[in-house]
Amino acid sequence: GSLGEILKKDSSIRVYGTDISPQAVEEARTRLDGAWILDIEKGVPSIEQSAPQQFDAVIFSEVLEHLFSPEKALRSIVPLLSTDGNIVITVPNILFWKNRIRIFLGHFEYEERGLMDRGHIHFFSWKSLRDMVHSEGFVIDSISHIIPTRGTKILGNIFPGLFAHQFAVRLRKKT
């Protein structure tokens, strides 16, 4: 619920959350307008009557890399989007230049946090993310990648697959 709490501070929007963890949902309920336990891999069940049935935006912030079938998750969300609804996605970039060097040198060890988090089962490059969202019928409306150093901002905009630490995109359904 921490991202939703930040969003609520900046505007009067209503924010709901989901998580697979009951403990995370309990915490989120103290910060948001509502929160539910959800295993997105199993699809999206009908939402409680107290919640809106359609949303202006759905945010997958650091979620898709934890799923076996991220494209299925995108597909399952479409019925919950309002006519002009958007999906916002952030995912780490497996081909960030520091990761390329580590892999080139033979280092591919899992860690407790970060890109090589033990929970990451799906890795994204800029091309694989774009291909996935396009194959699921989405158009990338906006790009705002996380590029960690000021010295690489310009290069990051030209070569996001090399210099973006995380990809951040806003999608809409193709019309």
Side-chain angles (χ1 to χ4, degrees), residues 6-174:
I6 292 167
L7 293 171
K8 287 183 71 58
K9 283 182 182 177
D10 290 342
S11 66
S12 61
I13 60 173
R14 296 185 57 127
V15 178
Y16 299 89
T18 65
D19 201 294
I20 196 167
S21 161
Q23 295 83 7
V25 168
E26 280 305 311
E27 177 66 24
R29 285 181 177 150
T30 67
R31 302 173 181 197
L32 307 179
D33 296 301
W36 304 279
I37 298 169
L38 174 67
D39 181 350
I40 193 76
E41 295 264 49
K42 294 180 179 174
V44 179
S46 60
I47 297 178
E48 295 175 12
Q49 293 300 321
S50 61
Q53 297 305 300
Q54 291 202 307
F55 297 87
D56 295 326
V58 173
I59 300 173
F60 285 102
S61 178
E62 307 304 304
V63 171
L64 298 180
E65 65 272 17
H66 297 273
L67 305 178
F68 286 107
S69 182
E71 55 281 335
K72 181 179 175 186
L74 287 176
R75 215 175 301 131
S76 69
I77 280 308
V78 172
L80 297 178
L81 289 174
S82 63
T83 305
D84 296 325
N86 294 295
I87 296 176
V88 175
I89 296 173
T90 66
V91 292
N93 175 13
I94 186 67
L95 295 179
F96 177 60
W97 70 270
K98 286 183 181 179
N99 299 333
R100 290 177 191 229
I101 292 171
R102 288 179 63 195
I103 293 167
F104 178 76
L105 295 174
H107 300 288
F108 193 87
E109 293 82 23
Y110 285 94
E111 301 167 349
E112 293 306 312
R113 299 180 51 140
L115 173 71
M116 297 306 295
D117 175 320
R118 294 182 188 284
H120 291 185
I121 55 178
H122 199 103
F123 295 98
F124 290 96
S125 67
W126 180 227
K127 180 181 182 326
S128 69
L129 177 63
R130 282 190 340 245
D131 289 350
M132 179 187 68
V133 299
H134 291 142
S135 71
E136 291 305 318
F138 292 97
V139 173
I140 296 175
D141 246 0
S142 178
I143 297 170
S144 185
H145 300 316
I146 291 54
I147 301 166
T149 58
R150 284 187 283 176
T152 59
K153 292 281 186 197
I154 293 171
L155 288 172
N157 291 325
I158 299 168
F159 305 108
L162 184 58
F163 292 103
H165 188 257
Q166 292 173 288
F167 302 124
V169 296
R170 184 180 68 208
L171 314 175
R172 65 176 167 76
K173 269 308 256 178
K174 285 181 191 170

